[in-house]
Amino acid sequence: MIKKKTVLNVLLIGLILSFFVTPLGDFSKELLNKWFATSPTIISVENRGKISSYNWKLKDANWNIFDFNKSAGKVVFINFWTTWHLPSRAQLDDIQMLYNRYKSQVDFYIITDEEQSVPAEFIAKEGYTFPITHQIIGEPSPIKLLKPSGSYLLDREGNIVIHQTAIADWDNSKVFDLINSLLAK
């Protein structure tokens, strides 16, 4: 007869292994990242840096090159992500909610350095509607290119209001209040 303790140990080991070798594990890790995400840190006015310029070439989802200059004078949200990076995938639901709320008022740059087809398939599969932007490797950037899941929020003057280097909760009243105040200026 198998002891109750042995059965519990086997179940625990199975659960732990599922985090590493099954799709359930990826889902669970993504869910844990979402649960433990905190609101992004807002940089105090006196400590805000400014982007060096708006001169930055990027590609849209159709692989057309465009210039970041079109966002001069606007509130801008920038997020760096990849399909293979769990934490950056974990915050995409919140980014979609933010996009739904502010898409006509804020310029969104959800930037990846992956080839065109992989992110496009992922976005279509997940049902996201925010625009995908592709980084052009070697193209000079007016801001520090962050590792996924890094993000920036810029005000209308190009001041860096948020410089977030980790996963964040973008769907909350603190973020909404901040964006609303930036849009009111």
Side-chain angles (χ1 to χ4, degrees), residues 115-130:
E115 288 298 322
Q116 185 179 16
S117 62
V118 175
E121 289 171 16
F122 176 82
I123 294 296
K125 177 181 163 238
E126 297 299 322
Y128 296 128
T129 60
F130 51 72

Side-chain angles (χ1 to χ4, degrees), residues 40-81:
T41 304
I42 300 169
I43 302 169
S44 62
V45 175
E46 62 275 0
N47 291 326
R48 291 180 184 168
K50 191 170 187 164
I51 63 171
S52 59
S53 76
Y54 282 88
N55 187 23
W56 187 17
K57 301 274 188 242
L58 297 159
K59 290 182 185 177
D60 65 17
N62 296 319
W63 225 237
N64 298 314
I65 295 175
F66 68 94
D67 200 307
F68 186 63
N69 275 319
K70 71 180 193 147
S71 291
K74 298 180 181 177
V75 175
V76 179
F77 177 83
I78 301 170
N79 174 264
F80 295 92
W81 74 289

